[in-house]
Protein backbone atom coordinates (compact mmCIF):
# COMPACT_ATOMS: atom_id res chain seq x y z
CA UNK A 1 0.00 0.00 0.00
CA UNK A 2 1.66 3.35 -1.07
CA UNK A 3 2.61 5.89 1.48
CA UNK A 4 0.26 8.89 1.19
CA UNK A 5 3.07 11.21 2.31
CA UNK A 6 5.23 10.17 -0.69
CA UNK A 7 2.47 11.19 -3.09
CA UNK A 8 1.94 14.57 -1.47
CA UNK A 9 5.63 15.59 -1.10
CA UNK A 10 6.47 16.38 -4.79
CA UNK A 11 3.42 18.52 -5.29
CA UNK A 12 4.83 21.67 -3.59
CA UNK A 13 8.03 21.40 -5.73
CA UNK A 14 6.05 21.02 -8.92
CA UNK A 15 3.93 23.93 -7.91
CA UNK A 16 7.02 26.08 -7.25
CA UNK A 17 8.56 25.05 -10.60
CA UNK A 18 5.36 25.90 -12.42
CA UNK A 19 5.36 29.35 -10.78
CA UNK A 20 9.02 30.10 -11.61
CA UNK A 21 8.91 28.68 -15.16
CA UNK A 22 7.80 31.91 -16.97
CA UNK A 23 10.53 33.96 -15.23
CA UNK A 24 13.37 31.55 -15.94
CA UNK A 25 13.90 32.84 -19.50
CA UNK A 26 13.83 36.43 -18.24
CA UNK A 27 16.48 35.58 -15.67
CA UNK A 28 18.67 34.08 -18.37
CA UNK A 29 18.28 37.22 -20.51
CA UNK A 30 19.16 39.49 -17.61
CA UNK A 31 22.23 37.41 -16.79
CA UNK A 32 23.37 37.42 -20.44
CA UNK A 33 22.88 41.19 -20.68
CA UNK A 34 24.94 41.77 -17.55
CA UNK A 35 27.70 39.53 -18.89
CA UNK A 36 27.86 41.42 -22.21
CA UNK A 37 27.84 44.78 -20.42
CA UNK A 38 30.66 43.61 -18.18
CA UNK A 39 32.75 42.53 -21.19
CA UNK A 40 32.16 45.79 -23.11
CA UNK A 41 32.25 48.30 -20.29
CA UNK A 42 34.66 46.50 -18.00
CA UNK A 43 37.91 47.68 -19.68
CA UNK A 44 36.60 51.25 -19.89
CA UNK A 45 35.70 51.21 -16.21
CA UNK A 46 39.04 49.72 -15.24
CA UNK A 47 41.08 51.84 -17.69
CA UNK A 48 39.21 55.11 -18.33
CA UNK A 49 40.34 57.22 -21.36
CA UNK A 50 42.48 60.30 -20.68
CA UNK A 51 40.81 63.67 -20.33
CA UNK A 52 42.96 65.19 -23.13
CA UNK A 53 43.89 63.57 -26.43
CA UNK A 54 46.65 65.18 -28.51
CA UNK A 55 46.67 64.46 -32.23
CA UNK A 56 49.53 65.34 -34.53
CA UNK A 57 48.95 66.77 -38.00
CA UNK A 58 51.64 66.09 -40.62
CA UNK A 59 51.00 69.42 -42.39
CA UNK A 60 53.41 71.63 -40.38
CA UNK A 61 56.38 69.39 -41.15
CA UNK A 62 55.68 69.68 -44.87
CA UNK A 63 55.14 73.42 -44.60
CA UNK A 64 58.36 73.88 -42.62
CA UNK A 65 60.30 71.89 -45.18
CA UNK A 66 58.96 74.12 -47.96
CA UNK A 67 59.71 77.30 -46.04
CA UNK A 68 63.28 76.20 -45.48
CA UNK A 69 63.84 76.56 -49.21
CA UNK A 70 63.00 80.26 -48.71
CA UNK A 71 63.07 81.53 -52.28
CA UNK A 72 62.61 79.02 -55.06
CA UNK A 73 64.42 80.26 -58.16
CA UNK A 74 62.66 78.73 -61.14
CA UNK A 75 63.62 80.80 -64.21
CA UNK A 76 66.45 83.01 -65.36
CA UNK A 77 66.35 85.58 -68.15
CA UNK A 78 69.34 87.10 -69.98
CA UNK A 79 68.60 90.45 -71.60
CA UNK A 80 70.49 92.69 -74.00
CA UNK A 81 69.13 96.19 -74.39
CA UNK A 82 70.26 99.21 -76.34
CA UNK A 83 69.19 102.49 -74.72
CA UNK A 84 69.27 105.64 -76.83
CA UNK A 85 68.80 108.81 -74.77
CA UNK A 86 68.95 112.41 -75.92
CA UNK A 87 68.81 115.49 -73.76
CA UNK A 88 67.50 118.28 -75.98
CA UNK A 89 68.49 121.77 -74.87
CA UNK A 90 67.81 125.25 -76.16
CA UNK A 91 70.26 128.11 -76.41
CA UNK A 92 70.05 131.81 -77.25
CA UNK A 93 66.53 132.20 -75.91
CA UNK A 94 65.27 129.17 -77.74
CA UNK A 95 66.60 130.18 -81.13
CA UNK A 96 69.13 127.34 -81.25
CA UNK A 97 68.55 123.71 -80.31
CA UNK A 98 71.41 121.64 -78.97
CA UNK A 99 71.54 118.08 -77.70
CA UNK A 100 73.53 115.75 -75.53
CA UNK A 101 73.05 112.15 -76.68
CA UNK A 102 74.12 108.78 -75.32
CA UNK A 103 73.87 105.24 -76.66
CA UNK A 104 74.15 102.55 -73.97
CA UNK A 105 74.51 98.85 -74.66
CA UNK A 106 73.18 97.07 -71.59
CA UNK A 107 73.49 93.40 -70.68
CA UNK A 108 71.75 91.96 -67.64
CA UNK A 109 69.96 89.05 -66.07
CA UNK A 110 66.83 88.55 -64.03
CA UNK A 111 65.84 85.68 -61.75
CA UNK A 112 62.20 84.71 -61.41
CA UNK A 113 60.93 82.51 -58.60
CA UNK A 114 58.51 81.97 -55.76
CA UNK A 115 58.90 83.56 -52.35
CA UNK A 116 58.05 80.61 -50.10
CA UNK A 117 58.32 82.80 -47.02
CA UNK A 118 54.91 84.20 -47.91
CA UNK A 119 53.21 80.83 -47.50
CA UNK A 120 50.63 80.39 -44.75
CA UNK A 121 49.64 77.29 -42.81
CA UNK A 122 46.37 76.97 -44.72
CA UNK A 123 48.30 76.89 -48.00
CA UNK A 124 49.48 73.33 -47.32
CA UNK A 125 47.34 70.31 -46.51
CA UNK A 126 48.13 66.61 -46.39
CA UNK A 127 45.78 63.64 -46.08
CA UNK A 128 47.71 60.73 -44.52
CA UNK A 129 45.01 58.25 -45.55
CA UNK A 130 45.14 58.99 -49.27
CA UNK A 131 48.66 60.40 -49.35
CA UNK A 132 47.47 63.50 -51.26
CA UNK A 133 49.24 66.80 -50.58
CA UNK A 134 47.78 70.12 -51.73
CA UNK A 135 50.00 73.19 -51.99
CA UNK A 136 48.89 76.73 -52.77
CA UNK A 137 51.80 78.90 -53.87
CA UNK A 138 52.18 82.65 -54.32
CA UNK A 139 52.51 83.78 -57.90
CA UNK A 140 56.08 83.88 -59.26
CA UNK A 141 57.82 87.23 -59.06
CA UNK A 142 61.07 88.86 -60.09
CA UNK A 143 63.46 88.02 -57.29
CA UNK A 144 66.41 89.94 -58.67
CA UNK A 145 67.32 91.96 -61.75
CA UNK A 146 70.75 93.45 -62.31
CA UNK A 147 73.03 94.80 -64.97
CA UNK A 148 76.18 92.99 -65.95
CA UNK A 149 78.74 95.69 -65.33
CA UNK A 150 81.36 93.94 -67.44
CA UNK A 151 79.03 93.62 -70.40
CA UNK A 152 77.33 97.03 -70.13
CA UNK A 153 79.06 99.98 -71.75
CA UNK A 154 78.49 103.32 -73.44
CA UNK A 155 78.72 102.73 -77.16
CA UNK A 156 78.50 106.37 -78.21
CA UNK A 157 78.30 109.77 -76.57
CA UNK A 158 77.93 113.08 -78.42
CA UNK A 159 77.48 116.57 -77.04
CA UNK A 160 76.80 119.51 -79.31
CA UNK A 161 78.99 122.58 -79.08
CA UNK A 162 76.27 124.68 -77.54
CA UNK A 163 74.90 121.87 -75.33
CA UNK A 164 75.77 121.26 -71.72
CA UNK A 165 76.95 117.77 -70.89
CA UNK A 166 74.33 116.03 -68.77
CA UNK A 167 76.20 114.01 -66.17
CA UNK A 168 73.02 112.14 -65.17
CA UNK A 169 72.30 110.88 -68.68
CA UNK A 170 74.22 107.63 -68.29
CA UNK A 171 72.59 106.94 -64.91
CA UNK A 172 69.17 107.52 -66.49
CA UNK A 173 70.05 105.11 -69.30
CA UNK A 174 71.10 102.45 -66.79
CA UNK A 175 67.85 102.83 -64.85
CA UNK A 176 65.91 102.46 -68.07
CA UNK A 177 67.88 99.32 -68.92
CA UNK A 178 67.14 97.94 -65.45
CA UNK A 179 63.42 98.46 -65.96
CA UNK A 180 63.65 96.78 -69.35
CA UNK A 181 65.26 93.71 -67.79
CA UNK A 182 62.52 93.47 -65.17
CA UNK A 183 59.83 93.87 -67.83
CA UNK A 184 61.39 91.07 -69.90
CA UNK A 185 61.25 88.79 -66.84
CA UNK A 186 57.53 89.46 -66.32
CA UNK A 187 56.39 88.27 -69.72
CA UNK A 188 53.67 85.57 -69.75
CA UNK A 189 56.04 83.00 -71.25
CA UNK A 190 58.64 83.45 -68.50
CA UNK A 191 55.98 83.31 -65.77
CA UNK A 192 54.51 80.16 -67.29
CA UNK A 193 57.91 78.47 -67.24
CA UNK A 194 58.46 79.64 -63.67
CA UNK A 195 55.17 78.10 -62.53
CA UNK A 196 55.91 74.80 -64.24
CA UNK A 197 59.37 74.57 -62.68
CA UNK A 198 58.06 75.48 -59.20
CA UNK A 199 55.38 72.81 -59.47
CA UNK A 200 57.97 70.23 -60.53
CA UNK A 201 60.41 71.00 -57.72
CA UNK A 202 57.85 71.19 -54.91
CA UNK A 203 56.14 68.00 -56.08
CA UNK A 204 59.47 66.21 -55.84
CA UNK A 205 60.02 67.63 -52.34
CA UNK A 206 56.56 66.61 -51.11
CA UNK A 207 56.94 63.08 -52.50
CA UNK A 208 60.31 62.78 -50.79
CA UNK A 209 58.49 63.56 -47.53
CA UNK A 210 55.93 60.79 -48.07
CA UNK A 211 53.22 62.22 -50.31
CA UNK A 212 51.92 59.90 -53.03
CA UNK A 213 50.17 62.59 -55.04
CA UNK A 214 50.77 66.36 -55.10
CA UNK A 215 48.40 69.06 -56.30
CA UNK A 216 50.01 72.48 -56.77
CA UNK A 217 48.00 75.65 -57.34
CA UNK A 218 48.97 79.31 -57.55
CA UNK A 219 47.08 81.98 -55.67
CA UNK A 220 46.98 85.57 -56.84
CA UNK A 221 47.01 88.60 -54.57
CA UNK A 222 46.66 88.14 -50.79
CA UNK A 223 43.73 85.77 -50.75
Amino acid sequence: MPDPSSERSPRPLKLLGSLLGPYRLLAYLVAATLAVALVVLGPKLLFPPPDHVITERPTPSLLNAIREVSRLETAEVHVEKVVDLTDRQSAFFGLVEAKDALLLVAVGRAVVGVDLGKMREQDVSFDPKTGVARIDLPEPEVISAMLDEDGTYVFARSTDLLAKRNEQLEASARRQAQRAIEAAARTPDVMRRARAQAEKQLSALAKALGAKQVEVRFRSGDR
Side-chain angles (χ1 to χ4, degrees), residues 5 14 28 41 63 84 133 213:
S5 62
K14 291 181 180 180
Y28 289 155
L41 299 178
L63 177 61
D84 187 0
Q213 180 180 348

Side-chain angles (χ1 to χ4, degrees), residues 23-222:
Y23 300 99
R24 187 175 303 167
L25 179 59
L26 179 61
Y28 289 155
L29 291 176
V30 172
T33 303
L34 291 176
V36 172
L38 183 61
V39 172
V40 175
L41 299 178
K44 294 183 178 181
L45 294 176
L46 294 176
F47 306 100
D51 295 335
H52 302 278
V53 178
I54 300 176
T55 58
E56 180 181 357
R57 295 174 55 195
T59 297
S61 60
L62 178 58
L63 177 61
N64 292 336
I66 292 175
R67 282 176 174 171
E68 286 178 359
V69 182
S70 184
R71 287 184 172 181
L72 184 63
E73 299 182 0
T74 56
E76 185 173 296
V77 180
H78 292 269
V79 180
E80 294 184 3
K81 176 71 175 178
V82 176
V83 181
D84 187 0
L85 287 185
T86 300
D87 180 17
R88 299 185 182 278
Q89 306 171 12
S90 61
F92 297 105
F93 305 100
L95 297 177
V96 178
E97 183 181 88
K99 60 183 180 179
D100 182 21
L102 177 143
L103 192 64
L104 179 75
V105 177
V107 178
R109 61 186 289 269
V111 176
V112 180
V114 179
D115 188 356
L116 301 178
K118 295 180 179 180
M119 294 188 64
R120 307 160 300 184
E121 185 173 350
Q122 61 266 31
D123 290 334
V124 178
S125 63
F126 177 69
D127 188 347
K129 295 182 179 179
T130 60
V132 176
R134 292 178 174 85
I135 305 174
D136 290 344
L137 294 177
E139 284 286 347
E141 60 186 71
V142 178
I143 295 177
S144 64
M146 62 188 69
L147 291 174
D148 181 0
E149 296 298 334
D150 294 332
T152 300
Y153 60 95
V154 176
F155 179 77
R157 179 72 184 263
S158 62
T159 305
D160 290 346
L161 181 62
L162 298 178
K164 182 179 180 181
R165 185 180 179 90
N166 187 345
E167 300 297 339
Q168 299 299 321
L169 198 60
E170 182 177 350
S172 297
R174 287 178 172 271
R175 287 193 296 268
Q176 186 171 331
Q178 178 87 12
R179 290 192 294 268
I181 294 172
E182 295 177 4
R186 292 192 180 96
T187 59
D189 180 62
V190 174
M191 290 298 173
R192 183 167 51 252
R193 288 190 284 117
R195 292 188 192 96
Q197 186 65 18
E199 181 177 355
K200 179 180 178 181
Q201 294 187 30
L202 287 182
S203 296
L205 175 61
K207 289 181 179 179
L209 293 173
K212 297 179 180 178
Q213 180 180 348
V214 184
E215 299 177 3
V216 179
R217 300 178 300 182
F218 290 89
R219 55 181 173 85
S220 58
D222 295 329

